[in-house]
Amino acid sequence: MSDSSDRLALPWLLPAQAQKHVTHNEALSVLDLLVQLAVEAVGTSAPPPAPVPGEAHVVGAGATGDWAGRDGTVAGWTGTGWSFHTPRP
């Protein structure tokens, strides 16, 4: 059994896992971003200077800064950093 779900890569709670609330909250954050996804822009190559929590972008080719190497992913600002998720075909 893997450590995450197949479609959204949500982390599973595992037997005897410490701090289960951290894993559960991580999964809720991914759901909050991806379910009924709305993005600010598609193809942007640089992160905005002052994102707000919940803001999402589709990262463009040749991304720079915090988005370097994340081309084609959905970048969501969590309030403390970016989370990246690869869209499924």
Side-chain angles (χ1 to χ4, degrees):
M1 181 173 149
S2 75
D3 291 346
S4 61
S5 67
D6 294 326
R7 292 189 50 87
L8 293 178
L10 300 174
W12 295 123
L13 295 177
L14 302 174
Q17 176 181 345
Q19 297 186 334
K20 291 182 187 326
H21 66 285
V22 174
T23 301
H24 179 73
N25 289 345
E26 179 184 342
L28 290 176
S29 293
V30 172
L31 287 172
D32 187 54
L33 175 68
L34 297 178
V35 174
Q36 296 187 357
L37 177 63
V39 296
E40 299 294 318
V42 175
T44 306
S45 60
V52 297
E55 184 174 326
H57 299 262
V58 177
V59 180
T64 61
D66 290 343
W67 292 357
R70 301 295 190 152
D71 299 5
T73 62
V74 174
W77 181 252
T78 65
T80 58
W82 292 100
S83 65
F84 299 94
H85 306 277
T86 303
R88 295 182 61 97

